[in-house]
Amino acid sequence: MLRLLLATNNPGKVREYRSLFQDLPYDVVTLAEQEITTEVDEVGSNLEENARLKATALAAESHLLTLADDSGLEVDALGGEPGPLSHRYAGEGASDEDRVSYLLSRLKEVPWAERTARFRCVIALARPGGDIEFCHGECPGIITFEPCGEQGFGYDPIFYLPELGKTMAELSLEEKNRVSHRGIAAREAYQVLVRLKNSLAE
Ligand code: IMP
């Protein structure tokens, strides 16, 4: 079976991709399973550049078809911050809780109607030879005043989905994958992976 390397150490992302790709005719493996400890510096200025940097470096190292995603939260009242800096927003070594608290503190004076935001995800699929394809997903929502819910990871407890009347952290894995930025991008990636498999079989 063809192998697909998930180039992330984020257990939340691994859980989501494993579920999204469960029917795919690929053996999905992680960096930890491949004993790859390389940390690729995310020095790009946008999500696409960072996804490309991670996917190409790890495909070259592993000699495997590699999926890397770069994702982030854009808050309108903060001019699009934290964006590509979402993971480092409260400094190196900060926890998800620290990042959530820091973001809420930056929005203390902002009323509900102005707390609009979106999650964005860019997936880069890189072949060891150098070919690369991108898939995109976006999910709009509103930043709550307080965290709510225990599921998911990152900023999920403060990301409210008006149509569902819940935060992202109140959704099951399957519900989140149906609407999330990563779910949308991953369904596009799924089609690319099926096409790739079929072209190799020809
Ligand atoms: P990176 O893509 O690993 O650079 O980090 C993205 C960061 O954005 C994560 O560490 C989270 O803080 C945040 N993020 C990305 N996707 C999600 C999501 O699905 N839910 C909540 N936070 C997310």
Side-chain angles (χ1 to χ4, degrees):
M1 195 162 358
L2 269 176
R3 266 188 297 169
L4 171 69
L5 176 66
L6 288 183
T8 179
N9 290 310
N10 180 327
K13 289 188 186 180
V14 170
R15 247 190 333 270
E16 292 175 16
Y17 280 117
R18 280 211 185 282
S19 171
L20 284 156
F21 292 157
Q22 60 189 332
D23 300 328
L24 204 59
Y26 281 79
D27 182 13
V28 178
V29 297
T30 62
L31 290 174
E33 287 163 2
Q34 296 299 112
E35 298 181 357
I36 296 175
T37 52
T38 308
E39 300 260 347
V40 179
D41 284 337
E42 297 186 19
V43 293
S45 57
N46 57 45
L47 298 179
E48 193 149 316
E49 280 177 29
N50 283 333
R52 177 203 295 274
L53 286 171
K54 288 189 273 190
T56 47
L58 290 159
E61 177 169 346
S62 66
H63 307 289
L64 295 174
L65 175 64
T66 299
L67 179 152
D69 95 28
D70 204 37
S71 41
L73 177 64
E74 295 174 355
V75 179
D76 293 326
L78 298 174
E81 276 186 26
L85 298 178
S86 293
H87 187 60
R88 287 161 280 169
Y89 200 43
E92 290 297 332
S95 65
D96 277 348
E97 289 74 22
D98 297 333
R99 282 183 278 275
V100 162
S101 301
Y102 180 61
L103 183 65
L104 288 180
S105 73
R106 298 280 317 271
L107 293 175
K108 225 184 292 175
E109 310 299 330
V110 179
W112 183 253
E114 290 167 30
R115 297 173 80 92
T116 49
R118 73 206 50 76
F119 274 125
R120 289 216 308 124
C121 173
V122 177
I123 288 177
L125 275 171
R127 291 166 77 169
D131 286 0
I132 187 152
E133 295 206 43
F134 294 96
C135 305
H136 300 82
E138 204 174 300
C139 176
I142 297 171
I143 304 300
T144 57
F145 292 101
E146 284 173 17
C148 190
E150 308 289 327
Q151 312 293 316
F153 68 95
Y155 299 95
D156 282 344
I158 55 168
F159 193 85
Y160 182 76
L161 298 153
E163 281 169 24
L164 299 180
K166 291 178 181 176
T167 68
M168 206 78 128
E170 295 179 286
L171 303 182
S172 67
L173 181 64
E174 292 73 22
E175 286 171 323
K176 177 176 173 185
N177 279 343
R178 261 201 294 281
V179 296
S180 78
H181 50 311
R182 187 165 300 100
I184 294 167
R187 279 189 285 281
E188 197 184 324
Y190 190 106
Q191 298 306 326
V192 175
L193 289 162
V194 168
R195 176 161 43 81
L196 210 58
K197 172 96 175 20
N198 292 341
S199 72
L200 291 175
E202 277 166 9

